[in-house]
Amino acid sequence: QSPPQKAGTALAGMALSAGLLVPFAAEAGFQFPPIDKTDKTRCTFRSSAIGQANAARDKLYDLRECPMEGKNAAGFDLAGAIMVGGDFAKANFKEATMSKVFAQQAKFDGADFSNAIMDRGTYKGSSFKGAVLANTVLSGSSFEGADLTDTDFSDAYMGEFDQKNLCKNPTLQG
């Protein structure tokens, strides 16, 4: 091969290697923009006007580190919300759509998610002590390392694989 061909082959090899490493980079964590703490309307529940559970929004729905204890989001479309580190204890999420929510290290103690759609969400390391997830759709959601002490999963829907992962959580009783 000529030098330009060798360079092209090497470049193609590097691109392929980088492509194969993308899943590992995703495992390392997401990089979100800084929290805009000057936005006084940021920490409010707002339903999406699009009405789809695909998390399509006109801008990032950022509820990171928001103090939302006891607030009402019943029936709201919160799909795609980023709720990392927020306090949503005792919040009302009845019949809310929370597809593709990213809520690691968040607090949902005593919150009511009855009849909610919480599919494909990430709740790693979050607290759900005493939360109600009765008749909630949880397929594809991850509760790895979450505190599920006294959480009510009565009639919740999840796939068999999701159920096996959930049952490995040492805080889940009953």
Side-chain angles (χ1 to χ4, degrees):
Q1 286 184 335
S2 68
Q5 287 175 323
K6 286 181 183 176
T9 302
L11 187 59
M14 288 182 351
L16 179 60
S17 295
L20 293 175
L21 293 176
V22 167
F24 298 110
E27 283 294 319
F30 294 101
Q31 293 295 320
F32 295 115
I35 298 172
D36 182 4
K37 295 192 177 184
T38 63
D39 181 358
K40 301 299 179 199
T41 65
R42 186 178 68 82
C43 291
T44 57
F45 287 126
R46 289 184 304 276
S47 193
S48 170
I50 296 173
Q52 299 178 2
N54 63 2
R57 292 184 178 273
D58 59 348
K59 70 176 201 171
L60 183 70
Y61 189 25
D62 189 1
L63 296 174
R64 290 177 288 171
E65 301 177 12
C66 286
M68 306 287 283
E69 183 173 353
K71 302 286 184 184
N72 185 14
F76 281 38
D77 179 358
L78 306 174
I82 300 172
M83 305 169 89
V84 176
D87 182 357
F88 306 96
K90 299 180 183 134
N92 181 356
F93 293 105
K94 288 181 182 178
E95 299 182 4
T97 300
M98 297 178 66
S99 299
K100 300 180 184 176
V101 164
F102 192 78
Q104 293 185 353
Q105 305 297 322
K107 183 177 178 182
F108 296 102
D109 296 349
D112 190 346
F113 298 93
S114 298
N115 302 311
I117 300 170
M118 297 173 66
D119 63 316
R120 300 168 287 170
T122 303
Y123 302 97
K124 183 177 182 178
S126 292
S127 181
F128 285 85
K129 293 178 191 173
V132 178
L133 285 86
N135 200 42
T136 300
V137 176
L138 300 169
S139 54
S141 290
S142 171
F143 292 88
E144 180 184 341
D147 188 342
L148 304 174
T149 304
D150 298 325
T151 302
D152 179 2
F153 286 97
S154 300
D155 298 320
Y157 173 80
M158 63 189 82
E160 186 177 330
F161 182 74
D162 302 321
Q163 186 176 11
K164 285 181 182 179
N165 285 334
L166 188 66
C167 287
K168 291 177 186 176
N169 187 311
T171 63
L172 188 64
Q173 303 291 320

